[in-house]
Amino acid sequence: MTFTKLSDTLCQLKAQGIADLVLCGGEPLLRDDLLAIVCKASELKFDKIQIVTNGFLLTRERIEQLVESGITSVYISLNASESVHDITRGIKGAYAKTMDALKSLVELRDSKFPHLDITVQTIIMELTIGQIIDLAKLCFQLRVGLSLSPLNTSRPWQGAIPADLRSINQEQLDHVIQELHRIKKVSPSLIRNSHTSLEFVRGYFADSKREDIPCYLGYQKICVGPHGEVYPGCVSLPPVGDLEKASLNRIISSKAYKESIRNMFLKRCPGCSCDHILNLYSHFPSLVKEMKWRILPV
């Protein structure tokens, strides 16, 4: 989308009551007009303006520009140690670039932007499972959060994932999840996942659909693709509208949109790990379990 169209889209999102904005991709830093987009979002007074990046293009100067323009949170993708992270990114030197960006974020938060929230986002899979605890220790040292998601094998563009990456050593995963529970008890703000989310991750590779938990995302989120495609809270499913052809209000009021979010709620879909943390906070039985986790010892 052009900046003019994207700016209009932000206005439409705000008019629909959307409170928080997440700029992700792909890689949002590839857009030359990113600062203008952030300034527009800040002008519209979104409660939070967040960015998700691999850090390759996140220099100290750009961090300062983004935060001064209105960015409140940065999520940076880091999967493991240097050798494993570079494998998962397919680029030699990826780890070094990401770590440089992370250290710059931390330095600027500590010296200039104390309100800036920093979170490391990590994908749990066979390649990374053995390094998750070390990554948690790194996040503790840097005083940043750690958010964990299992490898999402149900998305349509991930159909070519090799079978050995779609499975995991369950015994090793159980051990890591138990240790993460313990760490969260000691340092709740370090592990951004809820306890019920950690349990979701524990069972995901055996049951990715979890039909016992409805999907509420269609009622909580609107996703917009780079060409104006509108998704009802989940980009794993086909879009149900196009902002080049209709207004956001018309799209989300359509029969097709309402049918899509109803089918999501009833889990008439392949199942995925998309925003499972948000789903669990909307699910009353999971909230009860979370309260028990927080009260009782691990």
Side-chain angles (χ1 to χ4, degrees):
M1 287 188 284
T2 63
F3 173 73
T4 300
K5 186 64 180 179
L6 208 155
S7 181
D8 177 63
T9 299
L10 291 177
C11 292
Q12 292 186 64
L13 287 167
K14 187 66 177 179
Q16 291 298 329
I18 294 295
D20 299 338
L21 180 70
V22 181
L23 302 170
C24 58
E27 176 51 57
L29 285 167
L30 287 171
R31 284 197 68 118
D32 295 333
D33 57 358
L34 181 60
L35 284 178
I37 294 168
V38 175
C39 285
K40 181 64 179 181
S42 182
E43 175 190 316
L44 290 168
K45 299 188 185 305
F46 283 92
D47 293 346
K48 295 179 182 178
I49 306 172
Q50 307 167 10
I51 188 169
V52 182
T53 175
N54 59 28
F56 289 11
L57 304 174
L58 198 59
T59 62
R60 185 183 180 88
E61 180 183 11
R62 294 197 80 178
I63 295 168
E64 291 190 82
Q65 291 173 339
L66 286 166
V67 178
E68 289 171 350
S69 298
I71 287 292
T72 59
S73 308
V74 178
Y75 291 81
I76 192 160
S77 302
L78 179 63
N79 284 331
S81 63
E82 185 168 5
S83 59
V84 174
H85 183 76
D86 285 4
I87 290 172
T88 64
R89 288 296 168 194
I91 300 173
K92 188 175 181 179
Y95 177 85
K97 289 182 179 180
T98 301
M99 283 302 300
D100 284 345
L102 180 57
K103 289 175 181 177
S104 293
L105 281 165
V106 170
E107 288 170 6
L108 283 168
R109 178 203 62 194
D110 293 345
S111 63
K112 193 173 182 179
F113 304 116
H115 67 284
L116 181 63
D117 185 60
I118 307 168
T119 303
V120 167
Q121 283 195 321
T122 299
I123 302 299
I124 292 183
M125 54 183 160
E126 186 65 32
L127 281 172
T128 64
I129 187 64
Q131 300 183 24
I132 297 299
I133 301 305
D134 286 340
L135 197 54
K137 292 176 181 177
L138 172 66
C139 290
F140 179 79
Q141 292 170 2
L142 297 175
R143 295 189 300 111
V144 302
L146 175 62
S147 179
L148 301 145
S149 291
L151 179 68
N152 194 343
T153 58
S154 61
R155 290 185 177 187
W157 59 82
Q158 292 181 331
I161 291 177
D164 61 335
L165 290 183
R166 285 188 242 125
S167 60
I168 201 165
N169 183 315
Q170 190 63 46
E171 184 178 350
Q172 188 178 20
L173 177 61
D174 289 341
H175 172 75
V176 168
I177 294 299
Q178 198 62 25
E179 182 63 12
L180 290 170
H181 277 305
R182 188 195 65 77
I183 293 171
K184 184 170 179 64
K185 284 279 190 178
V186 176
S187 182
S189 62
L190 171 61
I191 307 299
R192 298 294 168 91
N193 300 62
S194 62
H195 288 286
T196 49
S197 166
L198 293 175
E199 287 301 296
F200 177 93
V201 174
R202 187 200 295 271
Y204 178 80
F205 292 91
D207 178 13
S208 62
K209 193 167 183 179
R210 288 300 301 269
E211 292 186 84
D212 58 313
I213 302 174
C215 181
Y216 304 89
L217 297 182
Y219 300 99
Q220 298 176 313
K221 292 174 55 187
I222 298 172
C223 298
V224 179
H227 307 291
E229 320 93 299
V230 178
Y231 302 83
C234 179
V235 294
S236 291
L237 299 175
V240 290
D242 185 346
L243 289 172
E244 296 291 344
K245 300 176 181 178
S247 69
L248 184 63
N249 184 60
R250 183 177 174 185
I251 292 169
I252 67 175
S253 299
S254 68
K255 182 179 179 181
Y257 194 93
K258 291 176 181 177
E259 185 68 18
S260 182
I261 60 176
R262 183 172 182 271
N263 286 335
M264 287 168 61
F265 180 80
L266 297 173
K267 284 292 182 77
R268 294 171 180 166
C269 65
C272 67
S273 62
C274 303
D275 270 323
H276 70 276
I277 300 174
L278 183 59
N279 253 341
L280 292 166
Y281 274 125
S282 305
H283 183 233
F284 184 73
S286 295
L287 281 175
V288 173
K289 291 178 182 177
E290 182 66 20
M291 290 173 65
K292 291 180 179 178
W293 271 106
R294 296 190 182 195
I295 294 170
L296 300 175
V298 174

